């Protein structure tokens, strides 16, 4: 190779050079030698093309199959599917992951370009043993890790559409101002209030913060989202004691427009949130318990879309 090409040329340039060298014109020779020479030339050209294919990067965003030992559980921005080839459920899950990857990349939502989609087959090598040692015996199992939001096990419908919505929800724009600080006087019968009880030292609370803020941005003007740091003062501590809070984060729906039939459970002060800690989980919970309010939210969004 010419020195300049080796130092600064591209992979494609090097391979084209290989091909050119293999197929350049030679002085006239007899038919037998010409035939052998052409054969060698075609073989060399074929080899050069194989080198080119091998050195070119794989398509961006493709789902990668990796061994269990090669997965870094502390790495953010990755979607990881543990599956076992040969099982129908795993085959469906893998198809859903590939579909979701295509949908997420096509969405153009800022931040999703950082995501890495990974699949790990329990039937391959020592991966199955590694999964068992970590308690992953029920497959398929899918995990979504996003920077500053922790790693969550995906427990919703495993389809490309639903998984894509779930992932995009983690990257949607939200505003801290849409979540109110604790003020007992703001809780009234005029509107529903979704209260999050938390503590600053709680890592799960911090991981849940983005989803809570995003859901709040979806319902501004219809549902008040409020957060209470239980140890922040006597009034906050009293409010938490009234709701028998013994774990964090805990979310309770209170305030107005909640049908009387819905006010059941461990607390007479409201309805405890019982879904997965995602934007979709929060919105579905509200649709169940304050359907009229959420119908107003949907109508307002439809009007804005038309406008």
């Amino acid at each position: 190779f010419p020195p300049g090409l080796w130092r600064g040329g591209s992979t494609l340039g090097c391979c084209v050079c290989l091909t050119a060298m293999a197929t350049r014109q030679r002085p006239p020779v007899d038919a037998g030698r010409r035939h052998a020479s052409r054969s060698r030339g075609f073989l060399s050209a074929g080899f050069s093309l194989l080198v080119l294919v091998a050195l070119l990067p794989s398509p961006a965003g493709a789902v990668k199959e990796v061994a269990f030992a090669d997965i870094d559980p502390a790495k953010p921005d990755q979607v990881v599917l543990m599956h076992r080839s040969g099982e129908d459920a795993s085959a469906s899950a893998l198809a859903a992951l590939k579909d979701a990857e295509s949908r997420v990349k096509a969405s153009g939502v800022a931040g999703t370009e950082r995501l890495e989609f990974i699949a790990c087959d329990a039937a391959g090598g020592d991966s199955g043993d590694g999964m068992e040692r970590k308690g992953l015996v029920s497959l398929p199992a899918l995990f979504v890790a996003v920077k500053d939001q922790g790693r969550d096990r995906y427990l919703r419908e495993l389809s490309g559409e639903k998984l894509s919505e779930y992932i995009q929800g983690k990257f949607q724009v939200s505003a801290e101002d849409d979540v109110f600080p604790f003020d007992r006087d703001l809780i009234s019968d005029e509107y529903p209030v979704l209260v999050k009880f938390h503590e600053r030292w709680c890592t799960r609370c911090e991981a849940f913060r983005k989803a809570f803020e995003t859901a709040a941005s979806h319902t501004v003007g219809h549902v008040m989202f409020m957060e209470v740091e239980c140890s922040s003062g006597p009034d906050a501590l009293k409010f938490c004691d009234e709701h028998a809070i013994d774990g964090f984060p805990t979310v309770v729906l209170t305030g107005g427009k909640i049908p009387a039939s819905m006010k059941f459970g461990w607390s007479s002060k409201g309805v405890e949130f019982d879904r997965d800690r995602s934007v979709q989980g929060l919105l579905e919970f509200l649709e169940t318990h304050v359907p009229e309010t959420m119908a107003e939210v949907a109508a307002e969004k439809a009007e804005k879309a038309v406008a």
Side-chain angles (χ1 to χ4, degrees):
F1 296 90
L5 180 60
W6 180 256
R7 288 196 300 270
S10 65
T11 299
L12 180 60
C14 294
C15 291
V16 168
C17 182
L18 276 172
T19 305
M21 291 173 65
T23 59
R24 67 182 185 274
Q25 293 293 326
R26 298 178 183 274
V29 292
D30 61 68
R33 291 180 60 190
R34 183 181 297 112
H35 177 76
S37 177
R38 286 178 177 174
S39 297
R40 286 193 300 270
F42 286 130
L43 288 173
S44 298
F47 172 75
S48 301
L49 291 175
L50 287 175
V51 170
L52 173 61
V53 171
L55 292 177
L56 287 176
S58 56
V63 175
K64 297 192 298 185
E65 283 280 358
V66 303
F68 183 76
D70 294 332
I71 297 175
D72 181 1
K75 184 180 179 181
D77 299 327
Q78 57 181 348
V79 182
V80 183
L81 172 67
M82 312 292 184
H83 68 102
R84 181 176 286 105
S85 59
E87 296 182 355
D88 291 343
S90 286
S92 298
L94 187 58
L97 179 67
K98 293 178 179 179
D99 183 28
E101 184 271 335
S102 298
R103 290 171 180 267
V104 170
K105 297 301 182 183
S107 71
V109 175
T112 57
E113 69 279 357
R114 303 192 308 263
L115 282 174
E116 186 177 18
F117 288 76
I118 296 171
C120 179
D121 189 355
D126 298 328
S127 293
D129 293 337
M131 291 181 197
E132 288 185 10
R133 285 194 293 271
K134 294 295 184 180
L136 294 169
V137 294
S138 179
L139 301 179
L142 193 143
F143 300 86
V144 179
V146 174
K147 186 179 180 181
D148 298 326
Q149 297 185 50
R151 177 183 296 270
D152 298 318
R153 183 164 184 170
Y154 180 79
L155 299 173
R156 306 176 68 78
E157 178 187 335
L158 194 46
S159 69
E161 180 181 2
K162 295 296 183 182
L163 178 57
S164 173
E165 290 176 358
Y166 176 86
I167 294 171
Q168 291 179 55
K170 289 180 171 290
F171 291 89
Q172 289 175 356
V173 177
S174 63
E176 293 182 7
D177 294 343
D178 292 335
V179 178
F180 288 75
F182 172 61
D183 186 341
R184 189 190 291 265
D185 294 336
L186 291 177
I187 301 176
S188 71
D189 292 334
E190 294 182 19
Y191 40 75
V193 182
L194 196 62
V195 184
K196 179 182 69 175
F197 298 88
H198 73 108
E199 289 289 2
R200 290 189 180 183
W201 49 259
C202 171
T203 55
R204 289 183 298 178
C205 299
E206 179 60 22
F208 184 40
R209 177 177 60 82
K210 172 69 173 178
F212 196 73
E213 291 175 357
T214 303
S217 299
H218 276 277
T219 59
V220 170
H222 299 274
V223 179
M224 176 179 287
F225 279 60
M226 181 182 292
E227 56 183 9
V228 184
E229 184 183 352
C230 292
S231 62
S232 61
D235 194 28
L237 182 59
K238 181 180 178 181
F239 187 72
C240 292
D241 287 341
E242 290 173 0
H243 287 81
I245 302 301
D246 59 0
F248 305 101
T250 296
V251 177
V252 174
L253 178 63
T254 187
K257 295 189 177 181
I258 305 176
S261 60
M262 294 292 185
K263 295 185 177 182
F264 62 91
W266 61 274
S267 173
S268 60
K269 301 289 184 179
V271 185
E272 184 176 7
F273 176 72
D274 58 357
R275 309 291 176 92
D276 63 305
R277 299 190 191 108
S278 67
V279 177
Q280 291 80 10
L282 288 163
L283 296 179
E284 288 173 2
F285 175 77
L286 291 172
E287 288 169 358
T288 297
H289 295 289
V290 284
E292 293 183 2
T293 300
M294 294 305 289
E296 294 172 2
V297 172
E300 183 178 287
K301 287 183 178 180
E303 289 179 4
K304 290 181 178 179
V306 172

